Amino acid sequence: MSTPPSTHCKDTMFGIPLHGFVALVTITMAPVAMTTTPAPTMVSLTPGNGTLSSPGYGIGDYEVNTRIQWNLQATDSRKVIRLTFTDFRLEGGTNCPYDHVSVYDGSVGNGTLLGKFCGSTIPSSVTSSGETMTVVFTSDSSVTDRGFRASFLAVQTGCETISDPNVLSTCDGLEYQDTSFPNFFGHQTMDEALKSDLLMTLISYKNNTGSGAHCHPQIVLFNCSLLFPKCNSSDPKVEMPCQSWCIEVQEACPTTSGSTTVLRELLGNCYDLPASADTCYSPSTPKNKDCFYGQGENYRGTKTTSLSGKACMSWQDAGIEDQSLLSSEYTWANLQGSTCRNPYSLEEPWCYVEGSSGAPETEFCSVDPCDGSCNDPGSPRFGQRSPIKAAHKTDDRVTFKCNPGYIHTAGSLDTYCLQDGSWTDGLPTCEVDSRAQLLKQLLDKDIYSSVLAPTSSSVISIKFRAALIDVIDMNEKDETAISSVAFRLRWNDTRLSWREDDFPTIDNLSLAEAQVWKPTMSLARNADPRFTGFPTGTIQLQRSGEVVWDIKGLVTTKCELDATHFPFDNMECKICIVDDDISYVEEVSCMDRGQDDELPSATELGWCGDTTPHRVDQWVSQWKVAAEFQSACIVMTMHRDPTYHFCTTLGPSIILCVLMILMFVLPYETGERLVFGMTILLAMVVSLVFVTEILPTKESLPIVAIVIIIYMCQMTMAILLTAVVVFISKKKGTLSPRTKKIFLRYAARVLLLGDLSKSTSKENRYGSSQIMPLETVDTAENLNAEETRRADPMVDVLRS
């Protein structure tokens, strides 16, 4: 069962009025079993110009068992019908026995068969001899494909000669003067084209720009070929400009390119122009030179080699990797053989070459631009240039580089093509790289080995200088210091010397550490287990064979703290490097003054014997360079500034000692003496903990810690003895004379309690079981009070 034809009409193309109408007819047939020829479906058109396509084109493949017939009739008997296929893909076969398109000159029954087409090759344009043409599409019951698309025109028979002076002046450069209508914009006659606003725009643009710069050198000619298409007088037919030419101009002229904006917008849809080079017009290059304009989309030359000299692959072989190249989308690019083309609108024509992995790779071709204003500048002596072209366009850049073994000494390595045909800069100068040659000579593996020592003797003299750059952190508890240091080592290696006559301009060389022999220096007294060595640096060679090795790094080393007189203590830190290689004996010694003046250093290095002050937090320090036991050392001596610890540690300890004396003048019978003594004792414990916390563990204690401990012991003894005396003085019953004498007389007096033995005697004399006379009690109390005041006037006598 058939679907009714769908017809879409429009009366404009790219904003230009058209005469007649455009019809796009799509007919599809549902698949049915064919027992007889399917009934034809006919569409009659009275064309000006338009398109027709197979059923379902642009949506999917056409259906099986389909037949559609288009009857084309021109409105003017003086015109003929021209049919141009823009896409074609049907089932193929010899003599087209299956799916095919048949074109008749006139009707099917009475006309002549102009062609029967199938397969995937786009047929050439077909022109009727009169005002009628018939197109028939037929598909069988099996294989289908994308289908076809074609445009048709009612064209005037014969050609007209362009004689208008404005057109001849504006379109100077067209290779023809015969034209025919209708043109691309739908103008039916020469008069319509001459009176059009499009021609006025074209003339105005040409007059305003003159021979100045254009986005594309052929943009005016291309628009002329749209207004006045070429007519072949030997076989009268219109040849529209090629689709590839249109794409080239469009790519070169963006819609924002200033004065060309209006002109660019006239181009319209390039895909409405013929894609096959056999049915369209494209101008030849100047003097038939093998060159390109713009980016080369319209290049039709014969170059088959890339810039690197590789042979181009055939487009058919490259299409196996890039299937899109084989589609009708790139018919306009004329991808034939292995010639250079530009289907993807790259910078210039290119092709596929075989890459290093065997897969196709894109590479630009050695094709010159037709409008090149600069000749090839050539390569500098002992150098190369890129890219290599016979001619260059304005603003093209050429980059130079020197060959291996040569260095750039003068001139610019980039030059640009100017509009007047000159270059912004001349060729640069490349000269022999003497340093590279000298290095090659010195480090020849057959002569020199970085594994072997520089002398056959067993002693290697190494001179050094050093500097303490900064102390990052000082940890007195762990006795470590994190420091930034620099060492410079010098020794002589006669194998690395050279004569001044051979290389007069070279006094010294810089090399990587791994290229020459050097002592295997390691860090002594290292306190960082993560330290694996100094950062890699450079080595300087001097003409005499002197080797200079600069070492810089951040190191953590052990120090020695003498805390005996804390906080008036001292600390010494030594940062030394020593050779671990026992195969040779290095004599490490200080560098002679003035020996190192010819090589500057970013760090001011010190000489042996000189001392340099350096403040580190609370430490007043100074450092010096010294050679000790075959090691290169930086010795840092520090004296603590006691201000901080005197205020926070030593001062509070002295105050506690003074406060401890007050304990002996407090009354003991209320318990205040014992409480105060315990408080002072705990405060001293805290001071002792603080001191031991900030100082390292040593065999001997600081004096301040010893003093605190002594005071703590005295305080403890005083508290314990006071408790014993009070306990005994309160004891009931008879005390032995010795006990009273030791504790209540002597010990009590030492503790400033007075002589407590008398009060105890009176208490024993008048025991609790006896009743003393009142006057006796008063007398005893007065007597005891008087005696007690004489013994210790600051303490009240205990009353029984």
Side-chain angles (χ1 to χ4, degrees):
M1 185 173 182
S2 64
T3 303
S6 174
T7 307
H8 308 278
C9 302
K10 59 179 179 178
D11 59 1
T12 61
M13 178 177 287
F14 314 116
I16 307 301
L18 301 179
H19 296 273
F21 65 92
V22 180
L24 174 61
V25 182
T26 304
I27 305 296
T28 60
M29 300 290 295
V32 296
M34 285 191 62
T35 56
T36 61
T37 302
T41 300
M42 292 185 292
V43 178
S44 297
L45 303 174
T46 303
N49 57 7
T51 60
L52 55 88
S53 62
S54 57
Y57 179 84
I59 301 174
D61 294 349
Y62 55 80
E63 299 287 348
V64 298
N65 301 329
T66 300
R67 187 176 190 277
I68 180 171
Q69 176 177 316
W70 292 270
N71 298 323
L72 308 180
Q73 176 73 45
T75 56
D76 190 339
S77 60
R78 296 174 300 174
K79 293 184 177 181
V80 296
I81 308 296
R82 176 175 297 119
L83 182 70
T84 302
F85 292 94
T86 57
D87 190 13
F88 200 90
R89 199 172 186 89
L90 275 62
E91 181 183 7
T94 305
N95 298 325
C96 301
Y98 311 115
D99 304 345
H100 58 271
V101 174
S102 300
V103 182
Y104 296 89
D105 187 5
S107 62
V108 174
N110 299 322
T112 303
L113 180 64
L114 296 177
K116 185 177 182 182
F117 310 107
C118 61
S120 58
T121 301
I122 297 179
S124 300
S125 297
V126 181
T127 304
S128 65
S129 60
E131 67 271 23
T132 61
M133 175 184 286
T134 303
V135 181
V136 180
F137 168 68
T138 304
S139 66
D140 62 9
S141 59
S142 56
V143 180
T144 63
D145 212 321
R146 183 170 62 241
F148 73 94
R149 184 173 185 265
S151 62
F152 54 86
L153 289 171
V155 298
Q156 184 175 334
T157 57
C159 302
E160 295 184 64
T161 301
I162 303 172
S163 59
D164 186 274
N166 287 330
V167 176
L168 294 175
S169 174
T170 301
C171 300
D172 182 31
L174 282 178
E175 300 167 324
Y176 61 86
Q177 287 187 327
D178 292 336
T179 185
S180 184
F181 293 90
N183 62 14
F184 182 77
F185 302 110
H187 303 140
Q188 300 294 314
T189 63
M190 176 73 78
D191 289 340
E192 288 185 26
L194 293 176
K195 295 177 182 178
S196 67
D197 293 338
L198 303 177
L199 180 60
M200 296 301 102
T201 301
L202 200 60
I203 293 174
S204 175
Y205 174 80
K206 179 68 176 291
N207 292 337
N208 289 337
T209 58
S211 59
H214 303 287
C215 57
H216 190 285
Q218 294 179 326
I219 186 172
V220 174
L221 289 182
F222 178 75
N223 280 275
C224 286
S225 67
L226 292 175
L227 275 170
F228 305 100
K230 180 182 178 181
C231 179
N232 192 335
S233 57
S234 60
D235 181 16
K237 62 179 181 180
V238 174
E239 292 186 14
M240 287 292 181
C242 292
Q243 188 179 126
S244 57
W245 192 17
C246 177
I247 292 174
E248 181 180 282
V249 174
Q250 277 192 343
E251 290 293 333
C253 300
T255 55
T256 57
S257 58
S259 60
T260 65
T261 299
V262 176
L263 203 60
R264 160 65 173 80
E265 291 176 344
L266 300 180
L267 301 181
N269 187 357
C270 293
Y271 292 93
D272 286 331
L273 294 172
S276 175
D278 298 331
T279 60
C280 62
Y281 167 71
S282 179
S284 58
T285 57
K287 299 181 181 180
N288 292 322
K289 181 182 178 181
D290 196 334
C291 60
F292 69 93
Y293 287 105
Q295 297 179 159
E297 288 88 348
N298 194 40
Y299 173 68
R300 293 296 178 267
T302 58
K303 284 291 182 75
T304 57
T305 55
S306 67
L307 280 173
S308 64
K310 293 183 179 179
C312 294
M313 299 174 61
S314 71
W315 293 102
Q316 185 67 28
D317 293 340
I320 298 175
E321 298 289 337
D322 189 353
Q323 292 293 326
S324 63
L325 291 173
L326 302 179
S327 67
S328 60
E329 180 182 357
Y330 294 105
T331 301
W332 60 268
N334 192 29
L335 304 179
Q336 299 178 357
S338 57
T339 52
C340 299
R341 295 291 184 262
N342 194 6
Y344 293 154
S345 295
L346 302 182
E347 296 177 10
E348 55 188 77
W350 56 277
C351 68
Y352 280 105
V353 297
E354 185 175 345
S356 56
S357 63
E361 294 180 354
T362 59
E363 191 171 317
F364 291 121
C365 294
S366 56
V367 184
D368 300 325
C370 298
D371 56 338
S373 57
C374 295
N375 293 325
D376 180 36
S379 297
R381 188 185 182 194
F382 309 123
Q384 305 171 28
R385 70 189 185 282
S386 177
I388 301 175
K389 297 180 179 180
H392 293 265
K393 295 183 293 184
T394 302
D395 297 329
D396 275 0
R397 182 180 75 172
V398 174
T399 301
F400 304 103
K401 68 176 182 179
C402 297
N403 293 332
Y406 295 85
I407 56 174
H408 169 239
T409 58
S412 174
L413 292 177
D414 293 295
T415 185
Y416 295 85
C417 175
L418 299 176
Q419 191 172 354
D420 61 2
S422 62
W423 292 94
T424 57
D425 297 275
L427 296 179
T429 302
C430 295
E431 296 182 355
V432 176
D433 189 353
S434 301
R435 291 180 177 272
Q437 288 190 350
L438 176 57
L439 282 178
K440 185 177 180 180
Q441 173 182 312
L442 293 177
L443 302 180
D444 189 338
K445 63 181 181 179
D446 294 331
I447 301 174
Y448 181 84
S449 173
S450 61
V451 178
L452 300 177
T455 178
S456 58
S457 64
S458 59
V459 177
I460 302 172
S461 177
I462 299 177
K463 303 288 186 178
F464 81 95
R465 291 178 67 188
L468 175 67
I469 301 174
D470 194 11
V471 178
I472 309 302
D473 187 35
M474 183 72 67
N475 190 329
E476 56 192 281
K477 175 67 175 178
D478 297 334
E479 294 183 278
T480 59
I482 302 176
S483 309
S484 176
V485 296
F487 289 89
R488 168 168 286 185
L489 306 182
R490 296 180 66 122
W491 64 92
N492 190 271
D493 191 340
T494 55
R495 299 173 300 174
L496 299 177
S497 61
W498 64 91
R499 294 173 52 190
E500 183 177 2
D501 295 341
D502 296 335
F503 300 94
T505 61
I506 303 177
D507 295 325
N508 54 72
L509 289 174
S510 295
L511 289 84
E513 289 184 11
Q515 293 182 279
V516 300
W517 178 92
K518 64 182 186 301
T520 54
M521 307 303 292
S522 64
L523 179 65
R525 302 172 62 86
N526 177 37
D528 184 3
R530 296 172 298 178
F531 181 80
T532 57
F534 290 97
T536 302
T538 59
I539 285 184
Q540 300 287 328
L541 292 184
Q542 294 182 294
R543 183 184 294 123
S544 61
E546 284 286 310
V547 184
V548 180
W549 181 22
D550 285 329
I551 304 173
K552 288 185 179 181
L554 202 64
V555 297
T556 303
T557 52
K558 293 292 292 183
C559 300
E560 292 291 339
L561 174 64
D562 182 7
T564 303
H565 300 93
F566 173 85
F568 304 93
D569 48 348
N570 303 320
M571 184 160 58
E572 183 180 77
C573 297
K574 291 184 179 180
I575 307 168
C576 301
I577 56 174
V578 62
D579 189 5
D580 285 340
D581 192 352
I582 61 175
S583 301
Y584 307 98
V585 177
E586 282 80 27
E587 285 186 351
V588 179
S589 59
C590 295
M591 199 178 297
D592 298 332
R593 291 182 182 272
Q595 183 181 359
D596 200 41
D597 293 343
E598 73 279 3
L599 286 179
S601 174
T603 303
E604 185 176 353
L605 300 172
W607 302 96
C608 288
D610 292 347
T611 57
T612 304
H614 191 91
R615 177 78 183 220
V616 184
D617 297 332
Q618 58 182 307
W619 296 93
V620 179
S621 63
Q622 61 182 15
W623 61 270
K624 64 179 181 179
V625 181
E628 297 184 2
F629 305 107
Q630 300 299 315
S631 299
C633 297
I634 300 172
V635 181
M636 183 166 49
T637 305
M638 292 170 284
H639 307 280
R640 190 195 301 271
D641 183 348
T643 305
Y644 173 78
H645 284 292
F646 189 85
C647 296
T648 61
T649 307
L650 191 60
S653 299
I654 294 173
I655 294 174
L656 290 175
C657 293
V658 174
L659 290 177
M660 184 185 72
I661 300 174
L662 296 179
M663 184 189 74
F664 297 98
V665 299
L666 293 177
Y668 72 90
E669 60 271 78
T670 60
E672 293 179 356
R673 175 179 289 201
L674 295 178
V675 173
F676 184 75
M678 292 295 294
T679 303
I680 298 299
L681 179 62
L682 291 176
M684 286 190 168
V685 170
V686 173
S687 297
L688 181 62
V689 170
F690 179 76
V691 171
T692 56
E693 183 67 24
I694 64 175
L695 296 178
T697 303
K698 293 282 188 176
E699 295 179 357
S700 60
L701 289 174
I703 294 176
V704 64
I706 295 174
V707 171
I708 292 175
I709 292 173
I710 291 173
Y711 270 87
M712 288 173 58
C713 293
Q714 290 177 348
M715 181 65 68
T716 303
M717 293 296 295
I719 292 173
L720 292 176
L721 190 55
T722 300
V724 171
V725 170
V726 172
F727 175 77
I728 293 176
S729 67
K730 295 293 186 177
K731 186 174 180 60
K732 304 297 183 180
T734 304
L735 297 174
S736 65
R738 179 176 294 182
T739 300
K740 289 190 295 182
K741 190 175 184 179
I742 293 175
F743 289 98
L744 299 182
R745 177 178 298 176
Y746 300 118
R749 286 178 177 176
V750 170
L751 297 173
L752 301 181
L753 297 177
D755 188 354
L756 300 182
S757 61
K758 295 181 180 181
S759 61
T760 305
S761 300
K762 290 180 174 58
E763 182 180 347
N764 291 337
R765 185 184 312 159
Y766 302 100
S768 58
S769 60
Q770 299 178 1
I771 299 177
M772 295 175 62
L774 181 59
E775 61 276 10
T776 305
V777 172
D778 293 337
T779 303
E781 288 179 351
N782 293 334
L783 180 61
N784 286 336
E786 182 63 25
E787 292 179 353
T788 302
R789 279 193 295 269
R790 286 198 302 266
D792 186 358
M794 299 179 65
V795 182
D796 293 334
V797 179
L798 294 173
R799 295 185 179 182
S800 57

